Amino acid sequence: MSTQDILKNASTLASYNVLLQVMFRVLTFLLNAFTLRFVSKELIGVVNVRLTLLYSTLVFLSREAFRRACLSGESGTNRSWRQVINLLWLTVPLGVFWAILLGCVWLWLLEVPDAQTVPHYGPSVVLFAFSGVQELLAEPLWVLAQAHMFVRLKVIAESLAMVAKCSVTVVLVVFARDWGLYIFSAAHLVYTGFLVVCYVVYFIHFLGSKEAEKKKFPLQHVRDLLPCKAKGEPLVDWTVARLTWSFFKQSFLKQILTEGERYVMTFLNVLSFGDQGIYDIVNNLGSMVARFIFLPIEESFYIFFAKVLERGRDIESQKKEDVAIAAEVLECLMKLVLVIGLIITVFGYAYSHLALDLYGGALLSSGSGPGLLRCYSCYVLLLAVNGVTECFVFAAMSQQEVDKYNLVMLALSVSFLVLSYMLTWWAGGVGFILANCLNMALRISHSLLFIHHYFQFSQWKPLRGLLPSPLLLVVLILSAVVTAVSEAAFCCNGGWLLRMLHICVGGVCLLFVLVAVLFTETRLVQFVRTQLLPRYRKKHT
């Protein structure tokens, strides 16, 4: 597969992932708004913080390192998928191990919620852990689909699973409210079960078909998906296995940085279950754009960079065409996420109070909610830049550099936990966001230094993507001032007419910002049109 084909497929994958994440976040957004009116904030806190943390920790530690290593282009086109499949099946016993260990911690070492307010906590811990192991059964199929760019499979599977989860939740919340945590446990089991079934059914029909032969798919039979030792070769590719071990050591630290505030809330009890519920709702609302735009771009273009660049080799020893495309894509991606992040930061400040008031009423907008969301709007800008820079760095680093970076991650993890604990006692939930901002800034600095040294003696300067045009900056500053004045004058206790006027002011300012982008960031606009908009690309190819 040529570099242009890889870029095209990665761009298509990113586009579909963005659409998928938009649907996920909209459904979750509506589901949370619905359940807020039927269940207590303490129940939401336990589900969205503690039980979700159990599931995400189990799944992340079991599969993240395998995904990064097995999707890396290091082993080239001659990789043995038989060995890769064998390696990927290790995620299941590893998941069982983490399920038992983490389940014991969640059941016996952490504070147990009040049974009257949050019923059925113990069985729900077991069910959430089981759902994580259940999802790992599809891991070899997921990696195969990602590596061969089966973009529609992921969209269909996760869409069906999410719709099923939301349907089960709504029905049980309305008709079986007394079930408590069983409602969310059952919905999560349905979600992971649907994922596994969709992937299995697809590959059963795909393997051995004419489409598989046309694509020269490396596996021919369903039994090839099961672990099996091939004659004349080791059980696993030890190069990939060693790389997996390097990423595995790093995964502990990355998980702490990713879910750090939930670990602090869960293990240090700095917030009550009710306050945890409010913080998590605001956190999810603030991170919607980051998750449904930035995360899919990071995941998809990590695959692109990993396939185009040769891990651990300097640019002089690689194909100039590949390096040129990678540098151009990196520059455009950084400019894209920077512009989106700046827009969110500017408009998030003036519209946080209104958004929370519309979403959850006085429960969210009367307390610390608006301040939390304003701080999160600034944090989104750092999230945007970090996601793109780290996806390039992790794709280009050698195994030795990955091991060295583990020490950096260790220092960041320790500092984050200390900062989170101190700042939370000082500033409440805002302290979590401030600690995240500081650590994210340090991670970005490390990534920028790596990228600078990587391209230092070449003609390509992708870091220019972090320099927006002066006109765009002026328009953004003016928009920030105008919308802040509008909020003070019109929002949010003067009735719906003044609220609509405040929204119209923001709409006009946003229009001016988009016009400034169209006229000043022409390379970015061209990149979005040709690489991130599948319909446009199909029409013009």
Side-chain angles (χ1 to χ4, degrees):
M1 187 180 292
S2 67
T3 301
Q4 289 291 349
D5 289 336
I6 295 172
L7 174 58
K8 179 180 177 180
N9 288 334
S11 302
T12 304
L13 180 60
S15 303
Y16 281 120
N17 277 346
V18 168
L19 295 176
L20 182 65
Q21 290 297 324
V22 168
M23 188 198 74
F24 277 12
R25 293 302 146 190
V26 169
L27 285 175
T28 305
F29 178 82
L30 297 175
L31 185 63
N32 283 338
F34 177 79
T35 55
L36 270 173
R37 288 150 177 81
F38 288 88
V39 300
S40 66
K41 61 182 180 180
E42 286 79 13
L43 190 67
I44 292 176
V46 173
V47 172
N48 290 357
V49 177
R50 181 170 291 191
L51 294 181
T52 301
L53 180 64
L54 168 64
Y55 163 78
S56 65
T57 303
L58 187 159
V59 170
F60 189 91
L61 294 180
S62 300
R63 73 185 183 191
E64 179 67 13
F66 292 88
R67 285 185 172 185
R68 288 197 174 274
C70 293
L71 289 174
S72 172
E74 185 179 65
S75 52
T77 57
N78 295 322
R79 71 163 59 194
S80 168
W81 278 102
R82 170 77 279 141
Q83 294 176 318
V84 173
I85 294 294
N86 291 339
L87 184 64
L88 286 169
W89 276 110
L90 292 177
T91 58
V92 176
L94 187 60
V96 173
F97 167 77
W98 286 120
I100 295 172
L101 179 62
L102 295 174
C104 292
V105 172
W106 258 245
L107 287 171
W108 296 318
L109 296 184
L110 298 180
E111 177 189 358
V112 177
D114 178 54
Q116 297 296 324
T117 308
V118 185
H120 314 303
Y121 173 73
S124 297
V125 168
V126 176
L127 292 174
F128 264 80
F130 179 78
S131 69
V133 176
Q134 180 176 254
E135 185 174 345
L136 293 173
L137 295 173
E139 190 61 21
L141 309 182
W142 186 93
V143 171
L144 277 171
Q146 289 290 102
H148 294 88
M149 302 294 182
F150 294 170
V151 292
R152 289 181 178 84
L153 172 59
K154 180 179 180 181
V155 172
I156 293 172
E158 298 195 11
S159 299
L160 290 175
M162 191 63 187
V163 170
K165 177 182 178 180
C166 291
S167 302
V168 171
T169 303
V170 169
V171 170
L172 293 181
V173 162
V174 174
F175 297 105
R177 202 179 310 174
D178 294 337
W179 283 23
L181 291 177
Y182 280 147
I183 297 172
F184 302 94
S185 302
H188 206 73
L189 281 170
V190 169
Y191 172 77
T192 57
F194 259 82
L195 281 179
V196 175
V197 169
C198 287
Y199 277 96
V200 170
V201 170
Y202 177 84
F203 275 98
I204 287 176
H205 285 84
F206 176 76
L207 292 178
S209 67
K210 292 183 179 179
E211 183 183 0
E213 294 178 5
K214 183 180 178 181
K215 292 183 177 182
K216 298 181 181 179
F217 196 73
L219 305 178
Q220 284 78 40
H221 306 286
V222 175
R223 62 176 177 271
D224 294 334
L225 299 173
L226 301 175
C228 179
K229 187 178 186 304
K231 294 182 179 179
E233 64 180 24
L235 185 64
V236 299
D237 185 335
W238 290 106
T239 301
V240 179
R242 284 190 291 269
L243 184 61
T244 302
W245 175 241
S246 296
F247 280 125
F248 181 75
K249 290 182 288 185
Q250 186 187 103
S251 63
F252 284 93
L253 307 175
K254 187 174 181 180
Q255 177 67 4
I256 292 175
L257 291 175
T258 303
E259 302 280 11
E261 67 270 13
R262 283 189 169 92
Y263 286 114
V264 173
M265 282 188 280
T266 298
F267 287 93
L268 300 181
N269 298 320
V270 292
L271 297 176
S272 66
F273 289 118
D275 291 337
Q276 289 179 28
I278 298 297
Y279 174 84
D280 188 74
I281 292 170
V282 173
N283 181 49
N284 285 334
L285 187 62
S287 64
M288 276 182 67
V289 176
R291 290 181 179 177
F292 70 60
I293 293 182
F294 302 142
L295 185 59
I297 289 175
E298 177 187 350
E299 291 178 344
S300 302
F301 281 93
Y302 171 78
I303 297 173
F304 165 72
F305 290 129
K307 287 180 176 290
V308 169
L309 300 174
E310 298 182 46
R311 183 181 294 277
R313 298 183 64 178
D314 55 43
I315 57 177
E316 287 80 6
S317 59
Q318 302 185 53
K319 294 180 181 179
K320 285 190 176 182
E321 178 189 356
D322 292 351
V323 176
I325 292 177
E328 181 180 357
V329 170
L330 177 60
E331 180 180 348
C332 290
L333 286 178
M334 287 196 292
K335 180 64 66 69
L336 174 64
V337 298
L338 178 71
V339 169
I340 296 174
L342 287 171
I343 291 174
I344 293 170
T345 299
V346 167
F347 290 91
Y349 182 86
Y351 289 88
S352 293
H353 190 283
L354 178 60
L356 290 177
D357 195 57
L358 293 175
Y359 184 56
L363 177 67
L364 297 180
S365 62
S366 60
S368 61
L372 283 172
L373 194 54
R374 289 189 180 105
C375 290
Y376 210 100
S377 299
C378 299
Y379 176 51
V380 165
L381 177 60
L382 298 176
L383 274 177
V385 176
N386 180 72
V388 169
T389 54
E390 276 199 347
C391 88
F392 176 87
V393 169
F394 288 149
M397 275 182 171
S398 65
Q399 181 183 333
Q400 291 74 23
E401 288 171 324
V402 172
D403 289 335
K404 290 180 181 178
Y405 188 59
N406 290 340
L407 299 177
V408 177
M409 295 285 278
L410 176 61
L412 290 174
S413 301
V414 173
S415 65
F416 173 77
L417 292 176
V418 174
L419 283 172
S420 295
Y421 184 74
M422 295 173 61
L423 292 176
T424 304
W425 281 114
W426 172 63
V430 173
F432 285 124
I433 302 175
L434 294 177
N436 272 309
C437 287
L438 292 172
N439 276 274
M440 200 61 64
L442 292 174
R443 290 169 66 178
I444 291 172
S445 300
H446 176 273
S447 297
L448 294 182
L449 284 174
F450 179 90
I451 295 171
H452 172 72
H453 290 304
Y454 192 82
F455 292 99
Q456 186 173 9
F457 301 106
S458 71
Q459 65 192 73
W460 302 287
K461 307 296 178 185
L463 292 182
R464 289 178 299 189
L466 294 178
L467 299 175
S469 66
L471 176 61
L472 178 58
L473 285 177
V474 171
V475 175
L476 284 168
I477 292 172
L478 290 176
S479 297
V481 174
V482 171
T483 52
V485 172
S486 173
E487 183 186 31
F490 305 129
C491 191
C492 287
N493 299 318
W496 280 101
L497 183 61
L498 292 181
R499 291 185 182 188
M500 291 303 299
L501 186 58
H502 179 47
I503 293 173
C504 290
V505 171
V508 173
C509 291
L510 180 59
L511 180 62
F512 277 108
V513 171
L514 295 178
V515 170
V517 171
L518 287 174
F519 281 99
T520 62
E521 303 292 354
T522 53
R523 285 187 63 195
L524 172 62
V525 173
Q526 181 66 15
F527 174 79
V528 172
R529 283 178 173 175
T530 56
Q531 301 300 336
L532 294 180
L533 297 178
R535 292 183 181 178
Y536 181 94
R537 184 170 61 249
K538 289 176 182 177
K539 188 183 298 184
H540 290 76
T541 54

